[in-house]
Amino acid sequence: MKVFAFHRMKVFWPLYVMAIPGIVFLIVFKFVPLGGAIIAFKDYSVFQGFGDSPWVGLKHFKALIDHPDFARVFGNTLMLGFLKLVLVFPVPVLLALMINEIRKSALKKGIQTALYIPHFLSWVIVGGILFDFFSLSGLFNIVIGWFGMEPVLAMQESAYFRPIYAISSIWRDAGWGTVVYMAAISAIDPQLYESAMIDGASKLRQIRHITFPLLLPTVLVLFLLEIGNFLDLGFDQVFNLLTPMTYSVGDILDTYVFRTGIQQAQYSFATAVGLFQSVIGFILVFVFNKLSKKVSDGGLW
C-alpha cells in the first residue's frame, strides 16, 4: 500500500505541488485559528494572553442567550438563512440547466460572462449600487412613478430589507454558482442524450430524466456545505445593506458580534458567538447528511 501511494505521488507530483498553497492556506487560516477558540471559555485580556487569562466556563455563552437582543438577532439570522437556502440556492442550478441548452457557443459564453461579472464586485460596491438604485431619484422610484405610485426609500424600510437581501444575493453570486454545476453537466456522457433523442425524448424530458438526476449528487454536496453556513450569512453583505431603520429585521449574529464584541473589545464574547454558530452549523450538516444518505445514498461522508 505504501509503495502504491509513493508511486502515485511520484507520477502525479505536479498535482501535489499545485495543492501545497491550498493546504498551507487551510492550515494557517483555518486550523491554526481553532486554537484561539479557547478564549470563548476565558475572560481574555490582551495583556494576560491566552494562557494567563482566567477561566470562566460557559459565562459568555450564557451572556449571549440571556441578552435581551438575542431572540431578535437569532430570529433574523434564521430567517435570512432560510431565504438564502430556499430562494438563492436553487437559482444557480436552474441557470446551469438553462445555459446548458444554449447551442451557440458565442452566445453561451457571453451569457456566462455576464452572469459571472457581478461576483467580482465587493459588497461595498454592490451596496453603493443598491442605495443609488433605490434612492428617491433612483431607477426604482422612477419606474414606480410611471404607475402613479409614491416614491419609497426602500433601503430605509424594514419591509424591503429581506427581499433586497435575497435579490442582491442572487444577482451577485448566482452566476458564479453555476461554474460547478456546468462542470458537472459537461461530464455527462453525450450518448445518453443521443439514446434519449432516438427514443423521441423532448429537451424537457432529457433535462428531467438525464441531466438533473446526474446533477443531483453535486447539488446535494453543495447543499450540505450551504447548510453548514446556515448561520454564517456573511458580515460584508448585511453590514453594507443595513441601516438604523432596518436593524429590527436585518441585524444578525455577525453584525451583532461586530458591535458588541469587536467594537467594544469583548473578544471572548465574540469568539463564543462564533463557536456557537460553528456548533449549530456542524449539527445541521451532520443531521442533513444522515438524511441524505437514507434518501439518496449520497452525502459528504
Side-chain angles (χ1 to χ4, degrees), residues 40-87:
F41 307 96
K42 291 187 169 190
D43 265 337
Y44 175 70
S45 169
V46 177
F47 302 102
Q48 291 178 301
F50 286 87
D52 296 330
S53 297
W55 288 91
V56 293
L58 300 176
K59 170 188 171 182
H60 301 294
F61 295 93
K62 188 175 184 300
L64 170 65
I65 296 173
D66 292 341
H67 199 281
D69 291 332
F70 174 74
R72 174 180 59 82
V73 172
F74 189 60
N76 291 339
T77 306
L78 291 176
M79 179 57 71
L80 293 182
F82 178 77
L83 289 176
K84 200 166 187 178
L85 206 61
V86 174
L87 298 180

Side-chain angles (χ1 to χ4, degrees), residues 31-279:
F31 290 101
V32 172
L34 288 176
I38 193 174
I39 69 174
F41 307 96
K42 291 187 169 190
D43 265 337
Y44 175 70
S45 169
V46 177
F47 302 102
Q48 291 178 301
F50 286 87
D52 296 330
S53 297
W55 288 91
V56 293
L58 300 176
K59 170 188 171 182
H60 301 294
F61 295 93
K62 188 175 184 300
L64 170 65
I65 296 173
D66 292 341
H67 199 281
D69 291 332
F70 174 74
R72 174 180 59 82
V73 172
F74 189 60
N76 291 339
T77 306
L78 291 176
M79 179 57 71
L80 293 182
F82 178 77
L83 289 176
K84 200 166 187 178
L85 206 61
V86 174
L87 298 180
V88 180
F89 179 79
V91 175
V93 183
L94 298 175
L95 282 176
L97 293 173
M98 290 189 290
I99 293 171
N100 185 58
E101 296 305 315
I102 300 174
R103 291 293 168 255
K104 292 186 177 180
S105 179
L107 179 61
K108 187 174 183 178
K109 291 180 179 178
I111 292 175
Q112 284 180 292
T113 303
L115 292 173
Y116 293 164
I117 287 174
H119 176 77
F120 299 99
L121 301 177
S122 70
W123 279 113
V124 176
I125 296 174
V126 174
I129 293 172
L130 288 172
F131 273 96
D132 187 59
F133 181 83
F134 289 105
S135 67
L136 288 176
S137 58
L139 184 61
F140 176 76
N141 281 306
I142 291 175
V143 172
I144 65 174
W146 294 343
F147 299 94
M149 300 173 65
E150 293 294 324
V152 178
L153 275 174
M155 297 301 293
Q156 313 296 335
E157 295 282 346
S158 59
Y160 289 88
F161 180 83
R162 288 169 180 170
I164 290 173
Y165 172 84
I167 292 170
S168 62
S169 297
I170 293 171
W171 179 75
R172 182 181 181 269
D173 294 326
W176 184 254
T178 62
V179 173
V180 176
Y181 298 121
M182 291 297 296
I185 290 173
S186 66
I188 298 175
D189 189 350
Q191 292 182 359
L192 294 173
Y193 295 105
E194 293 172 3
S195 300
M197 285 188 288
I198 292 172
D199 291 336
S202 63
K203 286 292 182 182
L204 188 60
R205 286 187 173 274
Q206 290 176 37
I207 293 173
R208 180 181 175 184
H209 297 289
I210 298 175
T211 310
F212 187 71
L214 294 177
L215 187 62
L216 194 58
T218 303
V219 175
L220 186 61
V221 170
L222 293 179
F223 177 78
L224 290 172
L225 294 175
E226 188 71 23
I227 281 286
N229 295 322
F230 188 74
L231 297 183
D232 186 9
L233 300 173
F235 169 80
D236 292 349
Q237 180 182 6
V238 178
F239 182 76
N240 284 289
L241 298 182
L242 207 58
T243 64
M245 282 71 77
T246 57
Y247 269 99
S248 60
V249 296
D251 194 19
I252 60 172
L253 285 171
D254 291 325
T255 54
Y256 170 72
V257 167
F258 176 73
R259 291 197 319 277
T260 61
I262 306 301
Q263 289 186 330
Q264 298 177 19
Q266 299 181 30
Y267 302 118
S268 292
F269 180 78
T271 305
V273 177
L275 195 58
F276 171 77
Q277 291 176 280
S278 300
V279 170

